[in-house]
Amino acid sequence: MMKLALFLSAVASAAAFAPASQTAAPTALSAKSDYADDIGVQAPLGIWDPSSKLDLADADEVARLRGLELKHGRVAMLGVVGYLTTYAGIRFPGLEDVPAGWAAWGALPQEVAGQFVATLIFMEIANRDQTGGKAEFEGDFRNGFLDFGWDKQTDAWKTNKRKIELNNGRAAQMGILGLMVHDALGNVSDILP
């Protein structure tokens, strides 16, 4: 009886390490290959989707996500420039005593904070559908007033400029994150002159 118990426990423990039967699941590569030529799919990362959102996304959802990436990149570019400007000591009149970085939140007058929030809300509402349905892509806010010759350029030139803007936005998102982390750690002076 003892030998049978040892034999059965050995079989059970060996079965724990046996490979489980797996059914073939659809790969993310097949779903993502539809977007391999999209704007923003660039070397060295190619299609970078760590959260696997593209597995279940249709073309409209991918365009929406690309528009969000573009918007966050634009805000981050403004954030980096604003951070560096205030760190250099440049202030609006009346706000000369406001410090740079995270310390500014506690030192801002409530009126300025309220104006900031109101401006954000207004910009979000005003830019939601400013193009009247004539946008070439998500994030295209040309409204017939400011064009700067975009319509006169070739498609290759437009694609290149859109890639440049996405990459600058991605770099700015990492840049503002780094500035905020170093400011919170108290060593931002080690990375800025």
Side-chain angles (χ1 to χ4, degrees):
M1 188 69 154
M2 181 70 144
K3 290 182 182 179
L4 180 63
L6 285 175
F7 175 74
L8 290 176
S9 66
V11 169
S13 62
F17 296 101
S21 80
Q22 297 176 346
T23 59
T27 65
L29 187 59
S30 63
K32 293 176 186 176
S33 65
D34 297 340
Y35 307 108
D37 295 327
D38 275 6
I39 301 282
V41 179
Q42 300 174 53
L45 296 178
I47 299 174
W48 191 67
D49 184 25
S51 60
S52 300
K53 285 201 173 279
L54 292 180
D55 294 347
L56 303 173
D58 60 358
D60 290 338
E61 177 66 7
V62 171
R64 187 187 75 79
L65 291 172
R66 181 66 69 217
L68 288 173
E69 180 184 17
L70 186 61
K71 178 169 58 171
H72 286 99
R74 289 172 178 169
V75 170
M77 287 186 266
L78 290 172
V80 168
V81 170
Y83 190 98
L84 295 177
T85 302
T86 56
Y87 189 81
I90 300 169
R91 303 285 193 280
F92 286 117
L95 298 175
E96 291 88 1
D97 297 336
V98 175
W102 286 115
W105 286 110
L108 278 178
Q110 285 188 335
E111 296 83 17
V112 174
Q115 289 172 356
F116 175 71
V117 170
T119 302
L120 288 178
I121 292 170
F122 174 74
M123 290 173 67
E124 190 65 33
I125 292 170
N127 288 327
R128 180 135 340 249
D129 190 28
Q130 179 133 0
T131 61
K134 298 178 184 175
E136 283 185 40
F137 53 90
E138 190 79 28
D140 177 13
F141 294 123
R142 293 176 295 126
N143 56 10
F145 182 67
L146 294 174
D147 190 284
F148 301 112
W150 180 266
D151 291 330
K152 297 175 184 147
Q153 302 298 331
T154 65
D155 288 341
W157 184 89
K158 291 177 184 180
T159 300
N160 187 45
K161 290 299 181 183
R162 289 181 61 201
K163 287 179 179 180
I164 290 170
E165 183 180 20
L166 272 174
N167 278 336
N168 286 344
R170 290 169 178 170
Q173 289 175 61
M174 295 298 106
I176 193 67
L177 178 64
L179 287 170
M180 289 172 13
V181 167
H182 282 283
D183 189 15
L185 292 173
N187 67 347
V188 75
S189 60
D190 294 342
I191 61 171
L192 294 177

